[in-house]
């Protein structure tokens, strides 16, 4: 048997891992601007956590969960999404019992869905998202949408479209479900097997169906807005008016219902297009919910949240060259000339790192030509070259690999030399400060 990754799962390393880190950093930095704090909940939850909140009518719970019995015969599930676990945590830890509402939770980590693997769809993927819990207001909805847009804008996305809809309160949704049932019932025998289940569990899910013939039938279905209560309609227009005042453009999409059962009232997605107009579909989705805390034995409290998949965001960013500013290069490549200086070069490399600059050395006295090739591959900014003669004089050579300028420096002035070299490199005429990884070591 060949040792390969589990179907639908992928290894992420090197540039892709660095890009994921970058996306996570931007995500966390923008969340911080809005007062969010990170939640790290377990990957495994008792299965009821998802059954009862994500919902038995959702595709996720019906057929996509990695569920198994643990050694104590308890049914556990690898999280297929974050919201249910975060709300479970808020209730279990009684975090809602504070004057300081709303609770603003952000998270990032792997989720697992036994989906059909295809381009851009994995069985393990990474979600980043937020939940704002405990204050029910159109302003909270609007702030959350604004946060979502700011994250994607800070990542460099330009052609974004906010699609928004309301699926109303519980009463509006109950009436709507009845109307959809009546509409789909005479047609359901011609529709896909999933839809035949969906009509029994939650006919709103039919509107999410990806089968083209079913989508055609769904086009003629009654619209949510005909069943909206006055309160839900008012709430929706309040949210729209606030986001309009924030200068955010939106498109009302009355077919948008979202695939998870816990949503109510406002739901939204953010879609992206390339400069040339290629439509990438939804990058991020979210909405408002109100019954979830109660489901877990907590108080009646509303929340609003969203999540995006890092894999999706990464591939669209790569397609649009949005990582070109990323600098993952090494500061210094330290080159030994001859076997006899290997130990000294090894120590010198270590000293450079303690000064806060990233450094590597080949551990062997390779020919200088191949060392320069390695340095280039690693994106090194400077090379430090040390041979026996230099060592005897207490000096070494430092070479700027961009300008090819080379000069001698005294080894006991290493720190000043590096600070100078990287300081000078800042004034290279590009205007932008030059990045290097010097950490504050004091
Ligand atoms: P959801 O939790 O289904 O609303 O999905 C939120 C986001 O996660 C989507 O907008 C996608 O970016 C991403 N996503 C969902 N399913 C997958 C998958 N199977 N593989 C990769 N990304 C996914």
């Amino acid at each position: 048997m060949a040792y390969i990754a589990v179907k639908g799962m992928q290894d992420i390393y090197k540039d892709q891992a660095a890009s994921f880190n970058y996306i996570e950093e931007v995500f966390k930095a923008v969340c911080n601007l809005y007062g969010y704090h990170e939640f790290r909940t377990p990957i495994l939850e008792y299965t009821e956590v998802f059954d009862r909140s994500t919902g038995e009518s959702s595709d996720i719970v019906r057929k996509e969960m990695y569920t198994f019995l643990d050694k104590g015969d308890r049914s556990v599930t690898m999280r297929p999404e974050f919201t249910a676990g975060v709300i479970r945590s808020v209730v279990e830890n009684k975090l809602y019992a504070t004057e300081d509402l709303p609770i603003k939770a952000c998270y990032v980590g792997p989720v697992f869905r036994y989906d059909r693997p295809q381009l851009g769809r994995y069985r393990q993927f990474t979600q980043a998202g937020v939940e704002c819990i405990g204050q029910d207001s159109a302003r909270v909805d609007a702030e959350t949408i604004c946060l979502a847009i700011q994250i994607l804008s800070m990542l460099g996305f330009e052609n974004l479209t906010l699609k928004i809809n309301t699926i109303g309160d519980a009463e509006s949704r109950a009436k709507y479900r009845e109307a959809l049932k009546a509409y789909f019932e005479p047609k359901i025998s011609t529709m896909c097997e999933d839809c035949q289940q969906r009509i029994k569990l939650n006919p709103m899910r039919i509107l999410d169906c990806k089968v083209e013939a079913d989508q055609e039938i769904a086009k003629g279905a009654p619209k949510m807005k005909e069943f909206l209560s006055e309160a839900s309609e008012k709430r929706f227009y309040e949210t729209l008016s606030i986001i309009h005042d924030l200068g955010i453009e939106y498109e009302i999409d009355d077919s948008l219902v979202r695939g998870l059962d816990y949503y109510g009232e406002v739901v939204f997605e953010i879609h992206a297009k390339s400069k040339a107009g290629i439509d990438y579909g939804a990058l991020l989705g979210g909405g408002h919910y109100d019954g979830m805390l109660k489901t877990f034995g907590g108080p009646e409290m509303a929340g609003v949240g969203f999540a995006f998949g890092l894999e999706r965001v990464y591939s669209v960013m790569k397609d649009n060259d949005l990582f070109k500013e990323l600098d993952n290069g090494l500061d210094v490549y330290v080159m030994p000339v001859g076997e006899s200086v290997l130990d000294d070069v090894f120590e010198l490399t270590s000293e450079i790192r303690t000064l806060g600059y990233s450094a590597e050395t080949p551990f062997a006295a390779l020919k200088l030509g191949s060392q320069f090739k390695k340095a280039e591959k690693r994106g090194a900014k400077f090379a430090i070259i040390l041979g026996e003669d230099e060592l005897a004089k207490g000096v070494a050579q430092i070479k700027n690999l961009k300008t090819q300028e080379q000069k001698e420096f005294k080894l006991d002035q290493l720190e000043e030399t590096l600070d100078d070299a990287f300081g000078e490199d800042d004034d290279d005429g590009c205007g932008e400060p030059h990045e290097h990884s010097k950490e504050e070591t004091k």
Side-chain angles (χ1 to χ4, degrees):
M1 182 202 151
Y3 292 102
I4 53 170
V6 170
K7 189 173 173 192
M9 304 196 177
Q10 61 167 346
D11 302 311
I12 294 168
Y13 47 84
K14 288 201 163 178
D15 286 358
Q16 190 179 0
S19 300
F20 271 49
N21 273 335
Y22 169 72
I23 298 171
E24 287 178 21
E25 273 166 26
V26 171
F27 164 73
K28 286 180 187 168
V30 183
C31 284
N32 194 34
L33 297 178
Y34 286 71
Y36 276 79
H37 299 281
E38 192 175 0
F39 267 53
R40 298 184 185 216
T41 57
I43 289 174
L44 270 191
E45 296 275 356
Y46 289 123
T47 303
E48 307 85 88
V49 169
F50 304 110
D51 277 351
R52 300 203 46 209
S53 59
T54 313
E56 55 173 16
S57 86
S58 67
D59 279 359
I60 294 178
V61 171
R62 278 198 313 117
K63 50 187 188 179
E64 293 175 0
M65 295 207 304
Y66 280 87
T67 296
F68 54 93
L69 291 178
D70 69 10
K71 290 187 197 299
D73 264 352
R74 284 287 317 245
S75 177
V76 289
T77 293
M78 291 165 78
R79 66 178 173 220
E81 57 115 18
F82 271 89
T83 309
V86 170
I87 302 296
R88 192 266 314 133
S89 163
V90 165
V91 174
E92 182 177 341
N93 297 297
K94 296 198 170 47
L95 303 179
Y96 54 79
T98 161
E99 307 270 285
D100 197 20
L101 292 174
I103 298 156
K104 290 180 163 183
C106 64
Y107 50 78
V108 53
V111 296
F112 303 82
R113 294 183 191 173
Y114 199 82
D115 205 349
R116 197 163 58 85
Q118 48 190 303
L119 192 70
R121 290 200 89 77
Y122 305 97
R123 288 181 171 170
Q124 174 178 331
F125 59 101
T126 318
Q127 275 197 340
V130 310
E131 309 299 333
C132 182
I133 304 150
Q135 219 177 333
D136 193 0
S137 132
R139 278 199 192 84
V140 176
D141 296 347
E143 185 187 89
T144 312
I145 290 170
C146 192
L147 165 60
I149 291 176
Q150 191 167 344
I151 292 165
L152 295 175
S153 304
M154 299 282 266
L155 287 170
F157 287 95
E158 285 175 0
N159 279 333
L160 297 172
T161 309
L162 167 65
K163 296 198 177 195
I164 190 163
N165 191 25
T166 177
I167 53 171
D169 51 26
E171 201 187 311
S172 316
R173 286 199 301 283
K175 283 194 199 144
Y176 186 41
R177 281 197 199 104
E178 283 311 308
L180 287 176
K181 209 169 185 175
Y183 171 81
F184 284 115
E185 229 146 38
K187 307 169 177 68
I188 199 71
S189 60
T190 67
M191 299 179 78
C192 76
E193 259 176 49
D194 274 337
C195 282
Q196 302 190 9
Q197 287 297 317
R198 289 172 182 139
I199 196 166
K200 290 183 218 146
L201 294 164
N202 181 357
M204 277 169 73
R205 287 280 80 79
I206 298 178
L207 305 177
D208 262 348
C209 183
K210 301 286 175 285
V211 177
E212 235 170 78
D214 293 352
Q215 281 179 350
E216 254 336 282
I217 297 175
K219 276 188 189 155
K223 300 292 182 216
M224 181 71 223
K225 59 175 179 265
E226 299 158 34
F227 302 88
L228 268 189
S229 69
E230 220 173 282
S232 285
E233 195 174 351
K234 185 164 169 270
R235 169 64 180 269
F236 186 45
Y237 285 102
E238 235 178 278
T239 307
L240 293 181
S241 133
I242 300 169
I243 55 179
H244 172 80
D245 289 347
L246 289 172
I248 297 171
E249 285 177 30
Y250 59 83
E251 243 175 51
I252 298 177
D253 178 350
D254 56 17
S255 66
L256 186 67
V257 290
R258 308 283 306 133
L260 312 171
D261 281 4
Y262 47 66
Y263 287 121
E265 308 287 0
V266 174
V267 289
F268 57 91
E269 283 180 354
I270 300 178
H271 290 235
K273 271 196 189 135
S274 73
K275 279 198 180 115
I278 303 167
D279 191 347
Y280 293 106
L283 288 184
L284 171 154
H288 179 274
Y289 46 86
D290 27 40
M292 271 245 267
L293 275 84
K294 201 148 186 243
T295 309
F296 291 125
E300 190 103 43
M301 254 184 196
V304 54
F306 64 75
F308 64 89
L310 263 75
E311 287 75 2
R312 178 86 46 91
V313 164
Y314 164 80
S315 75
V316 178
M317 283 178 72
K318 206 160 155 40
D319 221 30
N320 288 277
D321 229 3
L322 298 182
F323 289 117
K324 58 181 179 294
E325 302 292 337
L326 266 191
D327 176 9
N328 301 320
L330 192 69
D331 291 332
V332 186
Y333 199 81
V334 195
M335 305 180 175
V337 185
E339 295 275 334
S340 59
V341 294
L342 277 179
D343 286 344
D344 299 277
V345 163
F346 189 76
E347 275 169 33
L348 181 61
T349 309
S350 172
E351 201 182 332
I352 293 170
R353 292 177 186 137
T354 58
L355 291 172
Y357 293 94
S358 62
E360 275 197 75
T361 183
F363 303 113
L366 306 176
K367 284 198 177 120
L368 268 186
S370 37
Q371 298 203 50
F372 275 109
K373 274 194 197 129
K374 277 177 177 280
E376 194 186 334
K377 257 197 173 158
R378 293 288 292 104
K381 297 175 190 81
F382 286 87
I384 288 184
I385 308 144
L386 185 66
E388 226 174 65
D389 293 350
E390 279 114 345
L391 188 62
K393 287 193 259 166
V395 297
Q397 301 288 326
I398 181 163
K399 182 168 185 177
N400 182 327
L401 295 175
K402 194 161 66 182
T403 63
Q404 302 297 313
E405 234 174 275
Q406 183 169 323
K407 61 183 178 203
E408 196 174 89
F409 71 97
K410 290 199 173 110
L411 283 168
D412 61 7
Q413 287 174 2
L414 179 66
E415 182 165 13
E416 296 87 323
T417 306
L418 286 173
D419 287 349
D420 266 6
F422 282 94
E424 262 170 33
D425 208 44
D426 287 352
D427 307 323
D428 59 4
C430 305
E432 291 286 303
H434 203 104
E435 284 278 316
H436 67 77
S437 60
K438 175 154 182 164
E439 304 280 339
E440 201 51 67
T441 47
K442 292 187 183 108

